[in-house]
Amino acid sequence: MTMDREAAGWTLAIHGGAGTIPRAALTGGREAEYRAGLMAALEAGAAVLRAGGTAGDAVVEAVRALEDCPLFNAGRGSTFTSDGTIEMDAALMLGEGKAGAVTGVTRPRNPIRAARAVLEGGRHVLLSGAAADAFAAAAGLDLAPADYFRTEHRLAQLEAARAQDRVALDHDVPARMGTVGAVARDAAGRLAAATSTGGMTNKRPGRVGDCPVFGAGTWADGTVAISCTGTGEAFIRAAAAHEISARMRHLGETLEQACARVIGTDVPAAGGRGGLIAVDAAGHAALPFNTEGMYRGAWRAGGRPMVAIHEETPAPAAPRAEAGA
């Protein structure tokens, strides 16, 4: 039965943020550390898909792994607002039209699980702030104190951004990784997308970016699943994620053509930059960006996991022994 599922094909893609990523900064084992974080997320999602699980469960597990890694701007290790607080957003959308998101949460250890709880609740699509925190608590999700999410490198980023009097993408000040996301097609052909973020460094408290705005930073339907990263306001103005689906459905563009138009033209025209990951109904993946780099990875049934950072041919990454071939 497992072989039949593998034959049907599954695809998983992930990202860990896009921005200014100097190659010179990837020294002293840092690049290996980043790639290991991406690989752990690929393994978490692929384990679900290999077992015949759903695309929705796979993207949640991949994003959960990225939230748990303090290198990433999501969950533990999120960026700070101008007030020195942490406000997190997360979204999950399934190709069959179900969606759930949270914005401005401060307590869920894994915001993506709070987003899934909203989706499974069925009554609402987006919950915010203290009410979303209370919803996560009532749903029995793991909560964490504020100190759990605070890291020294994010504090250093905040001070750098304050000194420059700017609101910055995670990679445009001394940084590690950024907004995270995952998209997948499972063996049954279902699509799903998930995105999670701490937002922009030195952002105004209460600011909401594109991550929890369906059609902007996160989207999934029967055609394609997309997760975006970058200047959230520009992705919102361009309705970036939904525009990819619209171009594929109405203009007959391929996944690559639609993604190239949105990242190469629409987002810059709206005043921003960044990248995205997408998987279509046939299992094709696209991972374009218009910045110096984007932490990313992909894995398809029958193949090997691939991870990359800059404009390069993604290098195969050997799975850990427990993940299987």
Side-chain angles (χ1 to χ4, degrees):
M1 188 170 182
T2 300
M3 291 181 62
D4 290 340
R5 286 173 176 152
E6 291 262 336
W10 52 261
T11 303
L12 173 69
I14 63 170
H15 72 75
T20 303
I21 308 172
R23 292 177 185 268
L26 299 177
T27 59
R30 282 190 174 182
E31 181 172 354
E33 186 180 13
Y34 300 161
R35 290 176 181 270
L38 293 170
M39 190 61 233
L42 282 174
E43 289 172 346
V48 174
L49 295 168
R50 189 184 295 109
T54 68
D57 286 345
V59 296
V60 167
E61 284 306 299
V63 167
R64 177 205 54 76
L66 295 169
E67 289 177 337
D68 286 346
C69 178
L71 297 175
F72 295 88
N73 176 18
R76 188 180 186 192
S78 290
T79 53
F80 287 87
T81 70
S82 59
D83 282 355
T85 57
I86 290 176
E87 298 177 353
M88 301 171 288
D89 305 334
L92 171 66
M93 189 167 187
L94 309 182
E96 53 265 40
K98 296 180 179 180
V102 293
T103 183
V105 296
T106 62
R107 299 183 62 199
R109 183 179 294 265
N110 291 108
I112 192 59
R113 287 182 168 166
R116 180 170 64 181
V118 174
L119 181 151
E120 291 174 344
R123 179 174 296 180
H124 303 299
V125 170
L126 175 61
L127 295 179
S128 67
D133 284 336
F135 177 85
L141 301 182
D142 289 339
L143 306 179
D147 285 349
Y148 170 80
F149 302 103
R150 299 170 63 92
T151 56
E152 291 303 316
H153 70 275
R154 297 300 182 209
L155 286 170
Q157 282 182 266
L158 175 62
E159 292 307 313
R162 282 173 170 170
Q164 300 170 36
D165 191 24
R166 63 187 296 209
V167 176
L169 291 182
D170 184 48
H171 301 299
D172 294 341
V173 290
R176 298 206 177 184
M177 294 185 177
T179 295
V180 307
V183 294
R185 176 201 188 273
D186 63 32
R190 293 167 294 213
L191 296 170
T195 313
S196 181
T197 187
M200 300 178 79
T201 297
N202 203 31
K203 67 181 180 180
R204 185 183 182 91
R207 177 261 186 184
V208 179
D210 63 313
C211 165
V213 179
F214 292 106
T218 308
W219 185 258
D221 55 22
T223 298
V224 63
I226 304 116
S227 173
C228 303
T229 176
T231 313
E233 286 74 8
F235 281 83
I236 293 172
R237 295 184 191 110
H242 186 270
E243 183 68 9
I244 290 170
S245 174
R247 298 187 71 88
M248 293 175 68
R249 289 182 289 111
H250 301 307
L251 298 180
E253 292 186 349
T254 66
L255 177 67
E256 292 75 13
Q257 289 171 331
C259 289
R261 168 57 188 249
V262 168
I263 285 297
T265 302
D266 296 352
V267 170
R273 58 202 188 90
L276 62 84
I277 55 174
V279 171
D280 67 15
H284 302 129
L287 299 84
F289 54 96
N290 61 24
T291 54
E292 184 173 350
M294 181 171 76
Y295 295 95
R296 61 201 189 277
W299 199 344
R300 191 166 187 173
R304 297 187 65 191
M306 313 289 278
V307 296
I309 300 173
H310 295 97
E311 192 64 56
E312 60 195 74
T313 300
R320 294 184 297 195
E322 65 269 25

